[in-house]
Amino acid sequence: MAEKPRQGFRGLWNISFGFFGIQTGFALQNANVTRIFQTLGTSIDALPLLWIAAPVTGLLVQPLIGHFSDRTWGRLGRRRPYFLIGALLATFALLAMPSAPGIAVAAVLLWLLDGSLNVTMEPFRAFVGDMLAPEQRTAGYAMQTAFIGAGAVAASLAPEILSHGFGVASTAPPGVVPPSVRLAFQIGAAVLLVAVLWTILTTREYSPAELASFDTAAEAGPDDTPLVAPRSGPAWLALGVLIGVGVSLLGLDKPLYILAGGLTAFGLAQMIHRRALSAGHGDNALGRIISDLATMPDGMRRLALVQFCTWSALFILWVFTTPVVAMVAFGTRDPASQAYADGADWVGVLFATYNGVAAIMAFLLPLLAKRIGRRSTHILCLLAGAIGFALIPQIHSATALLAPMLLIGIAWASLLTMPYAILAGLLPQRKLGVYMGLFNIFVVLPQLLVSSVMGAIGAHLFPGDPRWTLFFAAGALVTAALAMTRVAAKD
């Protein structure tokens, strides 16, 4: 049987260049949305709740996009239609968000932005598996990581460069997003759209017939695997109801209702699928996704735990770094002050630093993995990140905060490369999209958990002091490193 053609540097570039635009959007979101929310009058304790719409959307969208992209074939191919739709919607959200008239509109636009970026991003993960032979996949995901780092550096630095390099104002009256942030979002929207269009126009996807001719032919056909109906639906439903009742009776914070609702919905979905399957009507998108989740490979299950812990730490970083840095290094908690604006701009520099390190590390990780293995490489990088997280709340010099960002950049590079390189070798080609989408559940779930629980914990135990969140994140990375020891990587 034929093998997939080996891609040169130009081919790897074209396949992954769209990620430069995607990460430009994500970096603008991660570094500035907290600032936008606080500018519009949001308290620190309410920040996780306002971020919650985005992970909920991702939780629903990712498996569906993966499922349908596995079954799509048209003039643009298999994955590229989703690249285009997501990029157009994300471009609109980037243009509109800085001009949001209030918190409610800003939250809706965050939901649209994050969901649209995920619609574009997840097929890109499967795209590497579609286009590259197994021995090139580490290089392919490393190229994506390089573009992720480069896009994030440019986007994170944009408000700072516009403010200090071009004289664009970084402050504005209360309730108004500064001009430097608005202009950065406008430039980012253009970059996102152009970069994704580059990949769409410079690549040609393999047709179903071509995929069938490669060495994965036995796995490339239609999905005819037997459906499975999990029996755990009632248990998930009962747990969700129990948490909801507990929140009501004990007077706990309302964001916990989101967690209860999610568990209840998951239990109901399993029960609906089981009933439909027993009646001979379960072969649909919902049924396939639930069945695939229940039958995912054991190695994917173990890797999912690593992802869950790791992304818990990253989401904490994106939500809470701005108020932490403003407090410990710039001596303010007032989001309307010049000191806070300077701190927020500096967070852009810090985020650019760890992304810049990741862009460089992307070219070194394949060499390190070849020497000591993918699993050991990822463990070392996660531990480096844990040290970086633990250092941030203890450093009171803005410049010295660059040091922990170097360590976080190492972890970030590995997070974007190694799990996907390992996972691609565990999955059947015909289900690459849906399993990549399901894998993203374990990126989204920690966002949902942080959004629903972290604010409640902070309000009761550490009111007005977000520093504790970064210590918690450091512990999450240590846990991820320990969980990684149970993953058997095919190096």
Side-chain angles (χ1 to χ4, degrees):
M1 293 182 182
E3 294 185 356
K4 292 178 182 176
R6 185 174 181 84
Q7 297 284 344
F9 181 83
R10 182 178 178 181
L12 294 174
W13 176 289
N14 291 340
I15 288 170
S16 296
F17 185 67
F19 243 106
F20 179 80
I22 295 170
Q23 193 57 34
T24 297
F26 271 123
L28 285 169
Q29 169 187 297
N30 295 337
N32 295 284
V33 166
T34 289
R35 180 180 187 177
I36 291 173
F37 282 154
Q38 289 197 285
T39 297
L40 295 174
T42 306
S43 68
I44 289 177
D45 294 335
L47 285 175
L49 180 60
L50 287 174
W51 277 81
I52 205 165
V56 169
T57 303
L59 192 62
L60 298 172
V61 166
Q62 291 298 335
L64 287 172
I65 293 298
H67 172 83
F68 287 115
S69 72
D70 281 342
R71 291 158 171 76
T72 295
W73 185 258
R75 294 182 63 184
L76 282 178
R78 189 183 191 190
R79 315 292 183 186
R80 291 180 297 167
Y82 299 93
F83 300 170
L84 180 60
I85 294 170
L88 291 173
L89 292 174
T91 298
F92 168 77
L94 282 171
L95 292 173
M97 180 173 286
S99 301
I103 294 171
V105 175
V108 170
L109 288 169
L110 173 61
W111 162 75
L112 178 61
L113 176 59
D114 194 272
S116 302
L117 289 172
N118 278 305
V119 167
T120 306
M121 178 190 72
E122 199 55 38
F124 259 101
R125 296 293 191 192
F127 194 48
V128 171
D130 291 342
M131 301 296 292
L132 299 180
E135 63 272 12
Q136 275 203 293
R137 285 173 182 165
T138 299
Y141 287 115
M143 180 67 78
Q144 283 191 354
T145 299
F147 281 127
I148 289 170
V153 168
S156 298
L157 284 176
E160 176 83 3
I161 292 173
L162 292 171
S163 175
H164 294 87
F166 295 91
V168 181
S170 62
T171 58
V176 177
V177 175
S180 60
V181 176
R182 292 202 306 270
L183 183 55
F185 271 62
Q186 292 164 3
I187 295 172
V191 169
L192 186 154
L193 186 58
V194 169
V196 173
L197 286 175
W198 178 283
T199 290
I200 291 173
L201 296 174
T202 60
T203 57
R204 184 188 68 83
E205 294 188 68
Y206 296 121
S207 69
E210 288 174 313
L211 286 174
S213 71
F214 295 133
D215 56 356
T216 55
E219 301 177 340
D223 186 3
D224 56 359
T225 53
L227 288 166
V228 173
R231 298 178 179 271
S232 56
W236 287 111
L237 174 63
L239 179 60
V241 171
L242 181 63
I243 292 176
V245 171
V247 172
S248 178
L249 293 178
L250 299 176
L252 301 178
D253 284 354
K254 291 182 179 179
L256 292 172
Y257 281 122
I258 303 296
L259 179 61
L263 295 174
T264 302
F266 182 57
L268 284 173
Q270 288 194 355
M271 294 169 66
I272 292 170
H273 167 59
R274 186 169 184 82
R275 180 179 292 271
L277 192 61
S278 65
H281 304 298
D283 195 357
N284 51 44
L286 175 63
R288 283 288 171 187
I289 290 170
I290 291 176
S291 181
D292 289 337
L293 182 61
T295 59
M296 71 172 70
D298 182 65
M300 180 177 170
R301 291 179 184 274
R302 298 186 180 196
L303 200 56
L305 176 60
V306 178
Q307 288 290 88
F308 180 88
C309 296
T310 306
W311 282 93
S312 295
L314 265 296
F315 193 65
I316 288 170
L317 178 76
W318 296 331
V319 174
F320 291 101
T321 297
T322 295
V324 169
V325 169
M327 184 175 69
V328 301
F330 290 83
T332 184
R333 302 183 186 186
D334 179 10
S337 67
Q338 179 62 51
Y340 190 95
D342 291 340
D345 285 344
W346 188 246
V347 169
V349 175
L350 297 177
F351 282 11
T353 299
Y354 85 71
N355 280 289
V357 171
I360 296 171
M361 281 295 298
F363 297 101
L364 301 178
L365 284 176
L367 301 177
L368 182 60
K370 187 176 181 179
R371 185 174 182 84
I372 67 173
R374 292 170 179 164
R375 182 177 64 179
S376 296
T377 297
H378 198 44
I379 290 171
L380 290 177
C381 291
L382 290 174
L383 292 176
I387 295 171
F389 272 89
L391 288 175
I392 293 173
Q394 305 179 66
I395 296 175
H396 300 282
S397 164
T399 303
L401 284 169
L402 292 169
M405 289 298 155
L406 299 178
L407 297 173
I408 291 173
I410 293 172
W412 179 235
S414 187
L415 171 62
L416 296 173
T417 304
M418 292 304 162
Y420 296 100
I422 295 170
L423 182 64
L426 301 174
L427 302 178
Q429 180 71 40
R430 67 174 180 270
K431 291 189 176 183
L432 195 56
V434 68
Y435 272 132
M436 285 291 183
L438 289 171
F439 194 56
N440 195 64
I441 288 177
F442 302 97
V443 174
V444 174
L445 276 179
Q447 297 182 27
L448 179 59
L449 192 62
V450 168
S451 298
S452 61
V453 174
M454 199 64 66
I457 295 173
H460 285 90
L461 300 180
F462 309 96
D465 187 354
R467 291 175 295 180
W468 70 275
T469 60
L470 294 181
F471 289 118
F472 183 90
L477 285 181
V478 172
T479 304
L482 292 174
M484 192 65 198
T485 62
R486 300 182 64 247
V487 176
K490 297 180 180 180
D491 298 315

